[in-house]
Amino acid sequence: MDQRPMTLIEHIEASERRFPEATGAFTVLMQAIGLACKIISREVNQAGLGKLLGLAGRRNVQGEQVARLDEFANDTLVRTLTRSGSVCALGSEELAVPIRLPPTPDTGHYAVVFDPLDGSSNIDVAVSVGTIFGVFRRRSPRNGLGGVEDLLQPGSSLCAAGYAVYGSSTVFVYSAGLGVHGFTLDPSLGELLLSHPDIRVPPSGSYYSCNSGNRKAWPDNVRRAVARFEDGSRSLRYVGSLVADAHRTMLCGGVFLYPADRGKPEGKLRLLYEAAPLAYLFEQAGGRASDGTMRIVDKVPRQLHDRTPLFLGSADDIAEFERLLGDEEARDDAS
Ligand code: AHM
Ligand code: MG
């Protein structure tokens, strides 16, 4: 019997076979995303040897400095997805406006949103970074260009989402609604091999994760909820790359939070290509994700680069955190 772990593509093909009406278009799409992540992984691992460290010398639409690797990762995803023929529209952290693609016969069923290289501030110091993506079904008419309406959909309309972490190993995690599955890159084969089947977020965990340097700017209810969490039973872990903090939370449980604060009244993280795909994955794996008042997957983006506060993690811990956010009596604990 073959004891070799399944590759990512074998896994997706096996899932598609459960749906006799499937055309194979989803496999083509995921093959393109997997390939792009492997190319990005290779460059991230060798960045110091080439000319890919440092800044690209421009700012993106959000006014942030663009790193050379941000640009490389974005170009890789755009080219690979466009060439696959499976997409009608692309939205990226690095693109001011969406890419709208012309129709091709029998293809272009999907619209993809992505943060090509999450954790930009960690690139040059060899700390884990990653890619986050979400996949929507096309909404616009099939005989024209893809449109913004294909991208501006809530997380509850995602048909798949995932991320890759370029860390001590490269791990690719995805869900298409049939569980959350993780694959580890075997560099000798160049293949993503199934290493974490059916991931479930533990109902609670012993980590909390936030940038407590922002504490003074947090609203009172966030400060007092975090103060309640700092009761000696939990350890602080904060990488500063959302994708790496989310992956640890997915496997070990606990809470991750990036709330709104005085300087960032809408929060920092982007709804469409950071928060929503992760929220979809966490809910698929039994976890929970909210903005403090509502489920992230119910939020409908008005624009490509909308931001949101994010509370993400173990179902029980996030429920407890939400309860503390509304707990008036604990007001004094935050001072
Ligand atoms: P990026 O997509 O430009 O890298 O920005 C988002 C990052 C997240 O990965 C991370 O959670 C957060 O910003 C860290 O922000 P801070 O340095 O304010 O803690
Ligand atoms: Mg990011």
Side-chain angles (χ1 to χ4, degrees), residues 87-287:
V87 289
C88 64
L90 299 173
S92 162
E93 178 178 329
E94 300 306 333
L95 297 171
V97 292
I99 294 181
R100 303 172 62 201
L101 294 161
T104 50
D106 295 326
T107 55
H109 302 298
Y110 298 104
V112 180
V113 289
F114 50 87
D115 179 353
L117 205 63
D118 175 60
S120 304
S121 68
N122 281 326
I123 293 173
D124 287 359
V125 290
V127 173
S128 299
V129 291
T131 299
I132 306 171
F133 65 91
V135 179
F136 295 107
R137 284 198 184 82
R138 177 178 202 148
R139 275 176 163 179
S140 59
R142 293 282 298 282
N143 54 358
L145 286 175
V148 176
E149 70 268 38
D150 297 313
L151 299 167
L152 296 185
Q153 303 193 50
S156 55
S157 298
L158 285 163
C159 63
Y163 59 79
V165 184
Y166 314 116
S168 52
S169 58
T170 289
V171 179
F172 183 96
V173 173
Y174 92 101
S175 176
L178 296 174
V180 179
H181 310 284
F183 299 78
T184 300
L185 180 64
D186 179 336
S188 66
L189 290 175
E191 289 283 3
L192 291 158
L193 300 177
L194 184 62
S195 51
H196 299 71
D198 284 316
I199 297 172
R200 303 296 298 168
V201 183
S204 66
S206 54
Y207 294 134
Y208 72 107
S209 184
C210 56
N211 184 343
S212 38
N214 294 333
R215 185 179 304 251
K216 284 195 172 153
W218 287 341
D220 284 351
N221 65 336
V222 173
R223 271 192 289 160
R224 65 177 183 252
V226 170
R228 282 292 182 92
F229 258 55
E230 291 171 331
D231 61 0
S233 70
R234 294 181 178 84
S235 292
L236 174 68
R237 291 283 187 283
Y238 188 70
V239 177
S241 296
L242 171 64
V243 69
D245 282 313
H247 185 58
R248 182 198 57 251
T249 308
M250 171 81 73
L251 297 184
C252 306
V255 299
F256 169 87
L257 58 135
Y258 207 116
D261 63 37
R262 262 203 309 278
K264 302 184 266 316
E266 307 293 325
K268 175 177 183 184
L269 301 173
R270 273 52 59 111
L271 173 59
L272 192 53
Y273 43 79
E274 293 183 318
L278 292 174
Y280 170 89
L281 288 163
F282 270 71
E283 290 197 357
Q284 288 286 327

Side-chain angles (χ1 to χ4, degrees), residues 57-74:
R58 64 175 185 87
R59 289 177 186 272
N60 65 16
V61 63
Q62 295 151 86
E64 300 157 343
Q65 289 275 9
V66 175
R68 289 198 178 96
L69 266 176
D70 281 327
E71 222 165 50
F72 175 86
N74 186 61

Side-chain angles (χ1 to χ4, degrees), residues 20-80:
E21 69 284 4
T23 59
F26 183 70
T27 305
V28 172
L29 171 77
M30 291 301 292
Q31 202 154 16
I33 296 175
L35 174 62
C37 289
K38 286 194 285 187
I39 295 171
I40 297 166
S41 172
R42 183 187 65 194
E43 295 305 313
V44 165
N45 280 307
Q46 300 177 0
L49 300 173
K51 296 200 174 78
L52 278 175
L53 290 184
L55 300 175
R58 64 175 185 87
R59 289 177 186 272
N60 65 16
V61 63
Q62 295 151 86
E64 300 157 343
Q65 289 275 9
V66 175
R68 289 198 178 96
L69 266 176
D70 281 327
E71 222 165 50
F72 175 86
N74 186 61
D75 291 351
T76 301
L77 276 155
V78 169
R79 278 204 210 103
T80 312

